[in-house]
């Protein structure tokens, strides 16, 4: 009798998550309330899921960081034969990559792969990217979304690179 009083509509809180929570709190078993809610349980669960999804939506900054981390993971799995494909998946065909001398500015993923990544991956084996900082936010200057990452690589220097003999 007490549990039936808890689940009547007149005593139920307004929101679906609160109704479902009260349903579980007032009943030791869903069996007691199943008959009353059998036609509404599916819609309540759907409302609860939508509410949870709404609360769990990632901010644009978090989504951007997730995308950058996905890129780094794909890059870490790449080798010199497929690194251009990885870059093409995550970079625009007209992206401008600014590297230090002798790499300088490169345009497009194929150029970045051929100028930097393929020679780098040929010279260094078992490359590990060690991330120290990953931040995202909105620029105060132009409102653009930014992700910045800082870290270092650790690898075995197995072949000459940029005229530097391997060791």
């Amino acid at each position: 009798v007490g549990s039936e009083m808890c689940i009547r509509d007149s005593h139920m809180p307004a929101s679906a998550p609160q109704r479902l929570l009260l349903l579980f709190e007032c009943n030791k078993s869903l069996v007691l309330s199943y008959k009353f809610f059998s036609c509404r349980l599916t819609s309540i669960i759907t409302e609860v899921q939508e509410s949870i999804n709404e609360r769990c939506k990632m901010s644009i900054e978090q989504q951007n960081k997730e995308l950058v981390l996905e890129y780094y993971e794909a890059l870490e799995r790449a080798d010199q034969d497929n690194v251009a494909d990885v870059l093409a998946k995550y970079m625009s065909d007209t992206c401008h990559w600014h590297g230090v001398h002798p790499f300088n500015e490169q345009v497009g993923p194929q150029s970045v792969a051929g100028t930097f990544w393929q020679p780098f991956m040929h010279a260094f084996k078992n490359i590990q990217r060690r991330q120290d900082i990953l931040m995202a936010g909105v620029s105060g200057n132009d409102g653009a979304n930014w992700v910045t990452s800082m870290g270092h690589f650790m690898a075995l220097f197995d072949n000459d690179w940029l005229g530097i003999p391997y060791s």
Side-chain angles (χ1 to χ4, degrees):
V1 176
S3 62
E4 288 178 19
M5 288 177 60
C6 286
I7 62 173
R8 287 193 183 129
D9 280 337
S10 61
H11 299 306
M12 294 298 285
S15 75
Q18 289 172 331
R19 288 195 307 261
L20 194 57
L21 181 60
L22 187 57
L23 173 69
F24 284 106
E25 288 175 351
C26 292
N27 296 287
K28 302 295 181 213
S29 165
L30 272 177
V31 175
L32 295 175
S33 61
Y34 178 74
K35 288 180 184 176
F36 187 81
F37 274 98
S38 62
C39 62
R40 294 183 46 206
L41 193 55
T42 302
S43 66
I44 290 172
I45 290 172
T46 301
E47 288 178 47
V48 169
Q49 186 61 47
E50 289 171 359
S51 174
I52 289 169
N53 288 344
E54 187 65 32
R55 282 184 276 133
C56 294
K57 282 185 180 174
M58 288 190 286
S59 68
I60 188 69
E61 291 84 5
Q62 189 61 39
Q63 291 175 40
N64 290 341
K65 287 195 303 189
E66 291 293 324
L67 180 62
V68 168
L69 290 174
E70 180 184 301
Y71 162 68
Y72 287 149
E73 288 171 8
L75 195 55
E76 219 170 300
R77 288 189 305 271
D79 57 33
Q80 65 188 37
D81 296 328
N82 67 4
V83 69
D85 296 333
V86 170
L87 296 179
K89 180 179 177 182
Y90 292 95
M91 293 179 164
S92 158
D93 289 340
T94 60
C95 74
H96 288 255
W97 184 88
H98 300 271
V100 298
H101 180 76
F103 311 110
N104 306 315
E105 182 178 357
Q106 303 299 317
V107 178
Q110 298 299 325
S111 180
V112 175
T115 302
F116 177 76
W117 282 108
Q118 289 170 334
F120 181 78
M121 290 177 159
H122 173 75
F124 296 92
K125 303 299 178 208
N126 299 318
I127 302 167
Q128 294 178 12
R129 184 179 180 282
R130 302 279 176 102
Q131 183 166 284
D132 297 317
I133 297 173
L134 178 68
M135 299 184 302
V138 178
S139 169
N141 294 329
D142 62 3
N145 288 292
W146 283 80
V147 176
T148 186
S149 175
M150 191 272 298
H152 60 276
F153 290 107
M154 186 174 77
L156 300 174
F157 194 1
D158 287 343
N159 293 300
D160 295 351
W161 189 57
L162 304 176
I164 304 167
Y166 74 94
S167 56

